[in-house]
């Protein structure tokens, strides 16, 4: 019964399929399994920030067909969840991910993932601070159908840069300026 989880009912729509599992082996409270399936680890049902995790996973549903690299997929999900709950976050120099363009959260250490998620959220926040929420929405829509699942990470990043340049009307913007924005 999902109703025992605070606020989750405010998020979940009829097309989301919630699955509760017991997994003390997993340190992840929730994850998005695709096609509207959100897995909630029952082991974390009392976690005070479980709703933040659920919001993050629901944000993934909005971008799941875009085949985004982790830095943008996780950045949009983290930023969206933080924004929904009004959580303030600040990127510290020490948590910048050294190779965010090639970050793969499935093959990374816990520390790399923490840095990756934080840095990704910072990238999206800086994009919104510079161009506005409407441009983030426009970017997501413009990316639809642009990236192939089989594209290399370099090709994905190049396609994303081209769309960002078009959406922001800034053809001289570089991927480095997007990934490592000035504070």
């Amino acid at each position: 019964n999902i109703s025992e989880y605070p606020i989750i009912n405010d998020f979940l729509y009829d097309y989301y399929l919630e699955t509760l599992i017991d997994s003390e082996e997993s340190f992840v409270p929730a994850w998005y399994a695709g096609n509207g399936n959100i897995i909630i680890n029952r082991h974390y049902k009392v976690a005070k920030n479980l709703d933040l995790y659920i919001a993050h996973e629901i944000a993934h549903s909005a971008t799941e067909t875009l085949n985004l690299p982790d830095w943008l997929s996780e950045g949009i999900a983290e930023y969206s969840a933080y924004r929904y709950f009004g959580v303030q976050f600040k990127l510290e120099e020490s948590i910048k991910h050294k190779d965010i363009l090639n970050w793969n959260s499935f093959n990374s250490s816990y520390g790399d993932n923490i840095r990756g998620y934080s840095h990704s959220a910072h990238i999206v926040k800086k994009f919104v601070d510079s161009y506005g929420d409407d441009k983030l929405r426009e970017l997501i829509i413009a990316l639809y159908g642009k990236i192939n699942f089989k594209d290399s990470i370099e090709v994905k990043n190049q396609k994303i840069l081209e769309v960002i340049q078009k959406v922001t009307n800034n053809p001289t913007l570089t991927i480095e300026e997007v990934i490592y924005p000035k504070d």
Side-chain angles (χ1 to χ4, degrees):
N1 179 1
I2 200 71
S3 64
E4 68 186 74
Y5 297 92
I7 303 177
I8 291 175
N9 287 328
D10 295 341
F11 285 104
L12 299 178
Y13 305 101
D14 292 338
Y15 56 87
Y16 284 107
L17 306 173
E18 312 89 36
T19 303
L20 297 177
I21 63 163
D22 284 309
S23 176
E24 293 189 22
E25 295 174 15
S26 174
F27 63 88
V28 180
W31 61 94
Y32 186 68
N35 297 318
N37 292 290
I38 298 170
I39 311 298
I40 300 169
N41 190 343
R42 195 185 307 255
H43 183 68
Y44 290 91
K45 71 180 183 179
V46 295
K48 68 179 183 178
N49 60 350
L50 181 60
D51 294 332
L52 194 61
Y53 285 98
I54 300 300
H56 172 106
E57 301 312 330
I58 288 174
H60 278 307
S61 71
T63 62
E64 78 175 299
T65 61
L66 299 180
N67 301 307
L68 300 175
D70 284 353
W71 69 266
L72 187 52
S73 175
E74 296 301 343
I76 291 169
E78 281 287 282
Y79 173 79
S80 298
Y82 286 7
R83 181 82 184 263
Y84 182 85
F85 281 106
V87 174
Q88 298 298 315
F89 60 96
K90 181 180 175 187
L91 182 74
E92 302 295 336
E93 184 66 33
S94 62
I95 58 174
K96 281 188 178 177
H97 194 285
K98 63 182 177 289
D99 192 18
I100 195 74
L101 283 174
N102 296 309
W103 175 52
N104 181 338
S105 62
F106 292 107
N107 297 327
S108 296
S109 69
Y110 180 75
D112 269 351
N113 279 339
I114 296 300
R115 285 186 296 279
Y117 280 78
S118 175
H119 190 156
S120 295
H122 182 71
I123 291 167
V124 174
K125 180 183 183 309
K126 285 300 194 175
F127 180 88
V128 170
D129 289 350
S130 296
Y131 302 103
D133 280 319
D134 288 344
K135 289 296 180 184
L136 178 60
R137 183 177 182 277
E138 190 177 327
L139 172 66
I140 292 168
I141 291 168
L143 285 169
Y144 184 78
K146 298 279 192 240
I147 301 173
N148 186 303
F149 178 75
K150 294 180 182 182
D151 286 343
S152 70
I153 190 71
E154 294 82 11
V155 169
K156 288 180 179 185
N157 288 334
Q158 183 58 41
K159 289 178 178 180
I160 289 167
L161 176 61
E162 290 168 5
V163 172
I164 289 173
Q165 289 171 332
K166 184 175 181 182
V167 165
T168 62
N169 198 28
N170 185 350
T172 63
L173 189 65
T174 67
I175 195 70
E176 289 76 20
E177 292 170 319
V178 172
I179 299 300
Y180 300 104
K182 294 179 181 172
D183 290 326

